[in-house]
């Protein structure tokens, strides 16, 4: 599998010369700018989109198709369907992708008919996109059409190089484990090789209860391809063995080998699977990986040890905590010890409670939540003491930990939370509102309404959203509660400028209620002028590719190139933040071994951002190893947090904006663990 896939659109836009820009009039720039403005506002303008879907410039038509998928209005369906037959295959590909994003199964018959025309052709990129769109849309007709591809390319067929078949096997999981093509995955795992076997293994392990495929996985455990072995390792779970009526030891035998594999990704996935067995006889095997040459294997080993409850496990973990080489492993070991021996974790980790680094104190709060869930009576007492911590980020962790171990209705916790409703920190207030919101108490409506108004000045919207959720829960509990909430929230406040708040209110109270009080959810007030959109079009869609950026870490440098033409607003936002030195001296606040590294949070606790949001620019680029995407807490909530994939993650395709890819520094990236520092990012 190629590590970095450059779309035809990116290659085209990157190759546009200055001479072409001079030769063009302002027409394409103006049209693309208008399309960008529509998608940024999430506004469906049928007349403009229809006109641009038939524009003589194929680049305009392509962006019209992109915009319709991103806006997401079902009214785009009759405009997109004719575009799949566009004379420019790149326009057709974008239209097909957008149909998949719309999620309207009415497009399935047209896509099936189109698929029958292209499978025998040389238009293999189109074949792949049609397969992906059909898998996203799902349903019996899509299942039959994709099954037809497998009929023409059985597992025993050689050579196994048909991309359409490979894509069917990769996307089969989207249709669910009752789909006919899902049932056939076992044959491709047993008989196929290369991409076919790898992709069938991926889909099988994404499904729950994949039956006969469980037996087939055992045959692929020794595949020469490391990625295939990593997928196998991920699927050999205790629950899968039990549901397939396979003796657990039959799965544990290959897992023991895979836990010592030459590839770090395989070792990580094997350790993650071993955690599902809760088998203390595996302590020696797992603890041996605490000294692994790959730091994230060691972090996963620490986490896995927390599932193996025995005195031996507790002793092994306790003796390793103080000498742990980094924050991530130390944190992992402390949380694991809390699972195995809560009292011992509290004793061993006591120095964390007063550590000068707020991250260690926050980790201690996380540990107390685990210890409390395991039955430790001391956990709540210590968490209550930590509510006086001078660092708001720690208090946020403490409140969330208390909420995890103290059931609703506890007056002491409610009182402690309520006294912090006026905290200057938005995350503290959001945690308070979540605790109070569990009560569904109409007496709190004035508190929630005041908290909502106070949150209007926040740079992040966590407290605003928490206040809306708390009031919506009361509204759902009774007719009188709904009346009181609508008066306090909707009638008592002007229309929110926050699109995410309006969307949440529409979801919880209904579009009709929102329209009656505040109007419609959209369009979004973007704050951008027409000239700004034209500038974005000139620079990033029609101009040359921007210079790459370098992430300088304590382990070395990682260089990222942009998919600017496919994500111009996301690229421009990131480059603007780099120019502000926004990322300098930050930390990788989230690292999931063999999955992603994530940064871009100035708070360092996972909740921070730049104070502004950008809309998603979902595109066709795939999440292969080293792909750079925007982190989200829901649709259109991107800001500054970004992630880089440490291995292929096809389930993220079409869900998060891809705006770049790693061109160098993979050895550096693989050494990063949670808490490591970013010295600076520069262009």
């Amino acid at each position: 599998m190629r590590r970095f896939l450059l779309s035809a659109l990116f290659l085209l836009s990157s190759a546009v010369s200055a001479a072409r820009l001079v030769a063009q009039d302002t027409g394409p720039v103006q049209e693309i700018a208008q399309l960008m403005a529509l998608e940024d506002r999430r506004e469906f303008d049928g007349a403009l989109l229809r006109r641009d879907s038939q524009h003589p410039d194929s680049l305009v038509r392509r962006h019209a198709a992109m915009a319709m998928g991103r806006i997401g209005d079902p009214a785009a369906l009759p405009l997109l369907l004719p575009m799949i037959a566009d004379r420019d295959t790149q326009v057709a590909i974008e239209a097909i992708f957008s149909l998949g994003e719309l999620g309207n199964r009415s497009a399935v018959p047209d896509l099936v008919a189109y698929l029958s025309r292209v499978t025998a052709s040389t238009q293999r990129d189109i074949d792949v996109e049609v397969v992906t769109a059909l898998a996203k849309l799902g349903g019996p007709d899509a299942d039959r059409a994709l099954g037809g591809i497998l009929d023409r390319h059985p597992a025993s067929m050689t050579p196994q190089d048909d991309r359409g078949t490979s894509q069917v096997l990769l996307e089969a999981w989207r249709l669910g484990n009752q789909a006919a093509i899902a049932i056939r995955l076992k044959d491709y795992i047993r008989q196929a090789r290369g991409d076919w076997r790898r992709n069938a293994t991926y889909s099988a392990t994404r499904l729950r209860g994949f039956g006969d495929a469980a037996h087939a996985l055992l045959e692929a455990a020794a595949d020469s391809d490391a990625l295939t072995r990593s997928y196998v390792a991920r699927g050999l779970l205790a629950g899968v063995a039990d549901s397939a009526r396979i003796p657990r030891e039959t799965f544990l035998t290959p897992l023991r080998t895979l836990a010592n594999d030459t590839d770090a990704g395989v070792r990580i996935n094997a350790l993650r699977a071993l955690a599902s067995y809760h088998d203390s006889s595996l302590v020696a095997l797992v603890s041996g990986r605490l000294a692994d040459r790959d730091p994230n294997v060691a972090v996963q080993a620490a986490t896995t040890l927390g599932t193996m409850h025995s005195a031996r496990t507790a002793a092994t973990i306790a003796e390793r905590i103080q000498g742990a080489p980094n924050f991530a492993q130390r944190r992992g070991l402390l949380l694991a010890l809390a699972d195995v021996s809560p009292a011992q974790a509290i004793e061993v980790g006591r120095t964390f409670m007063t550590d000068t680094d707020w991250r260690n104190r926050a980790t201690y709060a996380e540990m107390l939540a685990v210890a409390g869930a395991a039955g430790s009576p001391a956990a709540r007492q210590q968490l209550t003491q930590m509510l006086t911590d001078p660092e708001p980020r720690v208090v946020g962790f403490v409140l969330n930990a208390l909420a995890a171990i103290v059931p609703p209705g506890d007056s002491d916790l409610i009182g402690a939370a309520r006294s912090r409703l006026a905290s200057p920190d938005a995350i503290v207030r959001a945690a308070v509102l979540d605790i109070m919101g569990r009560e569904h108490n109409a007496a709190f409506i004035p508190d929630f309404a005041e908290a909502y108004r106070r949150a209007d000045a926040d740079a992040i919207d966590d407290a605003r959203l928490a206040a809306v959720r708390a009031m919506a829960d009361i509204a759902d509990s009774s007719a009188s509660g709904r009346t009181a909430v609508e008066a306090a929230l909707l009638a008592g406040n002007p229309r929110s400028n926050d699109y995410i708040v309006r969307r949440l209110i529409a979801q919880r109270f209904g579009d009709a209620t929102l329209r009656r009080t505040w109007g419609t959810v959209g369009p979004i007030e973007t704050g951008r002028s027409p000239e700004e959109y034209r500038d974005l079009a000139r620079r990033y869609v029609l101009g040359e590719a921007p210079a790459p950026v370098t992430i300088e870490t304590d382990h070395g440098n990682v260089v990222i190139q942009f998919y600017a033409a496919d994500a111009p607003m996301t690229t421009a936002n990131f480059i603007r933040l780099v120019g502000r030195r926004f990322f300098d001296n930050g930390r990788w606040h989230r690292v999931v071994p063999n999955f992603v590294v994530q940064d871009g949070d100035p708070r360092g606790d996972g909740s921070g951002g730049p104070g502004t949001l950008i809309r998603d620019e979902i595109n066709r680029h795939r999440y292969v190893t080293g792909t750079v995407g925007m982190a989200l807490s829901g649709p259109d909530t991107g800001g500054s947090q970004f992630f880089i994939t440490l291995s292929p993650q096809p389930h993220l395709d079409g869900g998060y904006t891809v705006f770049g890819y790693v061109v160098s520094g993979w050895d550096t990236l693989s050494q990063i663990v949670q808490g490591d520092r970013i010295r600076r990012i520069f262009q």
Side-chain angles (χ1 to χ4, degrees), residues 157-479:
M157 179 180 177
T158 55
Q160 298 172 340
D161 61 352
D162 180 76
R163 288 184 61 197
T165 302
S166 183
Q167 197 67 21
V168 171
L169 296 170
L170 183 65
E171 303 288 356
W173 64 273
R174 296 184 188 271
L175 287 92
N177 58 8
Q178 298 304 311
I181 62 171
I183 296 169
R184 298 170 64 177
L185 291 173
K186 63 183 184 299
D187 298 328
Y188 290 85
I189 297 174
R190 284 198 171 109
Q191 301 176 39
R193 294 294 180 268
D195 284 357
W196 285 16
R197 184 185 221 186
R198 179 192 305 129
N199 292 350
T201 302
Y202 175 84
S203 274
T205 57
R206 289 289 303 176
L207 294 168
R208 290 293 175 260
F210 48 82
D212 291 344
H215 295 272
L217 284 182
L218 295 168
E219 301 176 29
D223 195 278
S224 60
D225 176 61
L227 193 52
T228 301
R229 296 197 305 276
S230 75
Y231 294 156
V232 171
R234 185 179 62 194
L236 296 178
L237 303 171
V240 173
D242 295 343
S243 65
R245 299 183 179 180
I246 298 173
R248 287 188 172 191
E249 186 58 36
T250 303
F251 273 17
L252 284 172
T253 297
L255 276 176
R256 290 188 182 97
T257 300
L258 293 168
N260 292 302
D261 196 272
T262 56
D263 183 84
V266 177
R267 298 198 297 277
I268 288 169
N269 282 7
L271 289 167
R272 196 169 281 144
L274 287 171
S276 69
Y277 290 83
H278 303 279
D279 187 343
S280 58
S281 70
L282 299 167
V283 170
L285 170 67
V286 176
S287 61
R289 297 265 62 93
L290 290 173
D292 197 282
R293 61 186 178 275
D294 186 292
N296 279 296
V297 174
V299 171
Q300 182 59 53
T303 301
T304 298
L305 282 173
T307 67
M308 301 173 179
H309 293 201
S310 71
R312 180 186 178 192
T313 307
T316 299
I317 297 172
E319 70 183 21
R320 300 289 188 109
I321 289 177
Q322 297 304 326
N326 54 57
F327 168 80
Q329 192 171 346
R330 193 162 56 248
R331 173 180 175 273
L333 286 167
L334 185 61
L335 295 178
L337 186 58
D339 241 330
V340 176
S341 177
Q344 198 170 355
I346 291 173
E347 181 60 33
V348 170
R350 198 174 296 276
T351 57
F352 282 56
M353 188 176 180
T354 56
D355 195 276
T356 56
D357 189 334
W358 74 269
R359 295 176 304 143
N360 287 326
R361 303 199 302 278
T363 295
Y364 192 70
E366 288 183 279
M367 181 277 293
L368 290 172
V370 177
S376 169
R380 177 173 180 175
Q381 180 184 4
Q382 293 207 11
L383 283 168
T384 301
Q385 293 174 8
M386 293 182 72
L387 282 171
T388 60
D389 195 284
E391 173 53 61
R393 290 172 290 189
V394 174
V395 175
F397 276 92
V398 171
L399 287 167
N400 288 328
L402 283 167
I405 64 174
V406 179
D410 187 283
S411 58
D412 289 338
L413 177 57
I414 294 169
R418 195 173 187 181
S419 68
R420 290 167 173 79
L421 267 174
S423 169
D425 188 82
I427 299 303
V428 170
R429 279 183 274 118
V432 166
L433 290 163
D434 286 342
I435 290 171
M436 294 177 64
R438 301 187 303 175
E439 307 302 318
H440 300 178
N441 188 341
F444 291 157
I445 291 176
D447 291 320
F448 296 153
E450 177 58 30
Y452 173 82
R453 286 188 285 272
R454 180 178 291 113
D456 192 52
D458 293 340
I460 55 179
D461 60 10
D462 295 66
R464 289 194 291 277
L465 297 173
V468 171
R469 286 193 299 267
M471 285 189 272
D473 287 342
I474 294 172
D476 289 343
S477 64
S478 69

Side-chain angles (χ1 to χ4, degrees), residues 13-14 16-18 20-22 24-34 36 59 63 529-546 564-565 568:
S13 63
S14 298
V16 172
S17 66
R20 180 185 169 186
L21 285 177
V22 170
Q24 288 180 329
D25 59 23
T26 58
V29 171
Q30 178 65 19
E31 295 300 328
I32 291 172
Q34 288 180 322
M36 291 172 64
L59 193 58
H63 276 267
S529 67
E531 180 51 42
E532 287 179 275
Y533 290 112
R534 286 192 290 270
D535 183 61
L536 287 167
R538 290 188 199 99
R539 284 187 176 204
Y540 298 113
V541 178
L542 294 167
E544 294 184 1

Side-chain angles (χ1 to χ4, degrees), residues 12 55-63 86-88 91:
L12 176 64
H55 197 279
D57 190 308
S58 63
L59 193 58
V60 173
R61 298 198 302 278
R62 194 180 312 169
H63 276 267
D86 195 279
R87 60 186 179 277
D88 186 319
V91 175

Side-chain angles (χ1 to χ4, degrees), residues 71-92:
I71 294 167
D73 194 307
L77 185 64
L79 301 182
L80 283 168
L81 286 174
M83 298 181 75
I84 68 177
D86 195 279
R87 60 186 179 277
D88 186 319
T89 57
Q90 294 305 310
V91 175

Side-chain angles (χ1 to χ4, degrees), residues 491-506:
N493 293 288
R495 182 177 191 265
S496 175
N497 291 325
D498 187 338
Y499 162 71
I500 307 301
V501 168
R502 300 198 303 269
R503 186 174 67 193
L504 178 59
I505 289 175

